[in-house]
Amino acid sequence: MGIIVQKFGGTSVGSIERIQNAARRVIKEADQGNQVVVVVSAMGKTTDDLVSLASQLSAQPSKREMDMLLSTGEQVTIALLSMALQAEGKNAVSLTGWQAGIETEDRPSNARILNIDTSRIVGLLDKENIVIVAGFQGMVEKTREITTLGRGGSDTTAVALAAALGADRCDIYTDVTGVFTTDPRVVASARKIPSISYDEMLEMANLGAGVLHPRAVEFAKNFQVKLEVRSSLAEERGTLVEEEATMEQNLMVRGLAFEGNITKITVANLPNGIETLSSLFSTLADNGINVDIIIQNVVNESTTNISFSIDSSVLGETQDVLAACQQELGFESIITEGGLAKVSIVGSGMISNPGVAAKMFKGLSQKGIMIKMVSTSEIKVSTVVSQADMVKAVETLHDVFELDVRQPAHQL
Ligand code: ADP
Ligand code: ASP
Ligand code: MG
């Protein structure tokens, strides 16, 4: 007998029929003698609908009230799934994030899980209950405020619980059959990856592959949680996320990730000085602005141009912060270029294959796609291109790296 954590995303619990389908999956695990903890998301597009309600009242609703509002979505699902299980004669108990002992930091809308007091869950499991926990939410211990973990955060609840409970497995049930070479809803020839390493998955998730919440992958890696991403409807094995991915032949690039809504900002003619760069980026960081790719171009002996990319949603804030420090830092002007996207290739095989970036740039240039910024690490190369070129770039690179070609399948 082991502990299994199962997580069902929004589409997988989007209707009463889907909730009953999820219940059958849960019962199957429980009937094999396992102790089962289930984490669920809000039904279907509930969270988006709640965000939209809030936006009708305020352009910038308070983060605290947003957490109060959005956390209600998951509470509906836990109760309904628990009822579905009880209707099938099972003992089931639903718990909100705080009832489940999920303690987070005090950062509304984007809180990290700090600790999980599993005593209540363990007690319920020991009394032969199936425990259903609301994903995406927790509580600040000191203030008893409800927090949420950032969009897509139910994955993180599931993996963190699996880690805290020492679960044998964490299965993420979603609306695709696994992790694909790229988003299968965008590239028709995308192929399911049988196994991917934690590091590759972390890069993919951080670079925009929405199939897993990045912090869920971080937890899985840090606590060596056995993770499988699979379909809640199809009866087929999914993608294993593990320490060492099963080697596929000649594989340099495991997958492609992409995200739009990026703006490039150039701070023009910044005086050269030992501390100017650090002052510029410390000021941005102190104001909570997340900077991604940074490029420095030396203009002449005394000045330099610094370009960096940000999420377009923080453009206004970034411009305000820069305007406020313009005089102190002494730069001439700010140039912004919106409507950009980031397209990245990811694969641990890149470390030993020096030609990968060149192949990527050549593939894009042959299709007339202009690269505006580049950033690399040992296992990824990211390019910033025009958002209008994003899908073409993803399709091109999918072909260039032959990601549609079937690799030898691993043994499950
Ligand atoms: P859930 O509600 O189950 O958490 P999400 O919508 O958060 O589901 O994540 C699943 C979606 O992730 C898929 O429908 C797909 O469009 C998207 N996706 C993006 N990149 C990938 C990828 N590389 N592989 C699989 N799905 C991806
Ligand atoms: N319901 C939340 C969201 O839509 C959390 C999740 O689904 O993981 O972002
Ligand atoms: Mg999700």
Side-chain angles (χ1 to χ4, degrees), residues 6-18:
Q6 297 180 302
K7 180 255 168 177
F8 293 89
T11 319
S12 306
V13 290
S15 64
I16 289 299
E17 290 71 31
R18 292 279 170 91

Side-chain angles (χ1 to χ4, degrees), residues 7 9-11 155 173-176 178-185 204 209-211:
K7 180 255 168 177
T11 319
D155 296 332
Y173 287 94
T174 183
D175 57 6
V176 282
V179 178
F180 281 63
T181 46
T182 192
D183 189 340
R185 298 192 196 285
M204 291 275 283
V211 63

Side-chain angles (χ1 to χ4, degrees), residues 132-317:
I132 329 282
V133 179
F136 174 59
Q137 55 174 263
M139 195 182 74
V140 181
E141 204 199 3
K142 227 174 173 178
T143 57
R144 298 186 160 246
E145 290 287 84
I146 291 174
T147 49
T148 61
L149 311 181
R151 295 301 305 269
S154 295
D155 296 332
T156 300
T157 306
V159 182
L161 274 172
L165 292 163
D168 295 64
R169 255 181 25 233
C170 180
D171 293 338
I172 306 283
Y173 287 94
T174 183
D175 57 6
V176 282
T177 55
V179 178
F180 281 63
T181 46
T182 192
D183 189 340
R185 298 192 196 285
V186 175
V187 177
S189 59
R191 189 177 49 82
K192 185 166 81 182
I193 305 171
S195 114
I196 185 166
S197 70
Y198 292 127
D199 288 334
E200 290 169 323
M201 191 63 236
L202 191 56
E203 286 285 7
M204 291 275 283
N206 274 323
L207 294 168
V211 63
L212 279 178
H213 195 236
R215 280 187 209 140
V217 189
E218 257 171 51
F219 266 108
K221 179 177 159 66
N222 291 342
F223 295 92
Q224 298 285 303
V225 176
K226 279 194 194 150
L227 201 62
E228 182 169 344
V229 178
R230 56 189 304 182
S231 162
S232 59
L233 295 173
E235 280 297 336
E236 61 182 270
R237 295 306 297 264
T239 299
L240 294 174
V241 187
E242 49 199 348
E243 188 62 43
E244 291 287 335
T246 316
M247 282 304 290
E248 295 182 81
Q249 273 167 6
N250 302 325
L251 194 89
M252 290 188 291
V253 175
R254 183 91 57 188
L256 292 170
F258 53 91
E259 58 186 336
N261 212 28
I262 288 174
T263 295
K264 175 181 170 185
I265 298 201
T266 302
V267 176
N269 288 325
L270 181 71
N272 276 331
I274 296 173
E275 279 176 8
T276 23
L277 270 192
S278 66
S279 311
L280 172 65
F281 289 105
S282 309
T283 310
L284 291 166
D286 292 346
N287 285 279
I289 291 162
N290 228 333
V291 167
D292 187 14
I293 302 177
I294 302 173
I295 294 177
Q296 177 176 22
N297 276 318
V298 176
V299 178
N300 55 40
E301 273 177 12
S302 53
T303 62
T304 187
N305 284 349
I306 299 288
S307 300
F308 56 87
S309 62
I310 52 163
D311 192 284
S312 302
S313 61
V314 295
L315 175 61
E317 259 173 280

Side-chain angles (χ1 to χ4, degrees), residues 91-160:
N91 296 330
V93 178
S94 64
L95 299 175
T96 61
W98 70 267
Q99 287 176 318
I102 297 175
E103 185 202 323
T104 74
E105 59 181 6
D106 186 6
R107 185 164 13 148
S109 295
N110 199 19
R112 285 175 180 269
I113 295 177
L114 294 177
N115 184 39
I116 305 183
D117 174 356
T118 56
S119 52
R120 186 157 178 192
I121 296 181
V122 170
L124 287 167
L125 288 174
D126 287 346
K127 292 204 176 94
E128 301 193 351
N129 290 288
I130 295 168
V131 181
I132 329 282
V133 179
F136 174 59
Q137 55 174 263
M139 195 182 74
V140 181
E141 204 199 3
K142 227 174 173 178
T143 57
R144 298 186 160 246
E145 290 287 84
I146 291 174
T147 49
T148 61
L149 311 181
R151 295 301 305 269
S154 295
D155 296 332
T156 300
T157 306
V159 182

